[in-house]
Amino acid sequence: MQGEDARFVRLAGVPTSLYVRLHAHVDDLLRELALLDVAEGYGLGPEWDRAREQAETAERAGREHVDLELRLPADAADRLGGLFEQADALARAGLLLTTEAPPELRELRDRLVAELSRRLQDGHSP
């Protein structure tokens, strides 16, 4: 998701262990969606891996919260939101091995997407 229009985003105070669980769940979804050619064009790439590394480092250090620092294009939140909606629909229909995100992961995911949208689209500073 990097490119010439990439913007710096800092998401402060993300619950570390919950984010690590969310990241693992989304990784499982992405593997399945890639096999189905559904995730084409979402291009999470190195910034997705970087977010995981930041969260896992914080978790190993025993920190309850982590500040995620990423460079993402302006449409990253829309693309992620669309991917998550599509994945949830496929999971509910029983078309994936990965289950739909449990409520606590869905809530965190939705909050993060909303905050990304606010910061990227509305031009809020990091």
Side-chain angles (χ1 to χ4, degrees), residues 1 18-34 39 42-45 48-49 51-52 79-85 87-88 96 98-102 104-110 112-113:
M1 278 192 171
L18 196 57
Y19 182 79
V20 168
R21 284 182 49 214
L22 172 62
H23 204 288
H25 179 78
V26 172
D27 280 347
D28 291 344
L29 285 173
L30 290 174
R31 276 190 291 280
E32 280 197 77
L33 294 175
Y42 288 95
L44 293 173
W48 182 248
D49 294 335
R52 183 192 66 242
R79 290 163 58 183
L80 285 171
L83 175 68
F84 295 146
E85 287 176 21
D88 283 348
L96 299 177
T98 304
T99 61
E100 186 177 2
E104 67 274 10
L105 296 185
R106 204 168 40 249
E107 180 183 336
L108 176 62
R109 182 190 72 194
D110 293 347
L112 291 175
V113 168

Side-chain angles (χ1 to χ4, degrees), residues 67-79:
D67 296 344
L68 300 174
E69 297 180 348
L70 309 164
R71 288 194 59 79
L72 300 169
D75 66 347
D78 292 336
R79 290 163 58 183

Side-chain angles (χ1 to χ4, degrees), residues 16 53-67:
T16 303
E53 291 166 5
Q54 291 173 35
E56 288 175 346
T57 298
E59 186 176 53
R60 282 191 300 274
R63 294 183 19 228
E64 288 187 31
H65 295 90
V66 61
D67 296 344

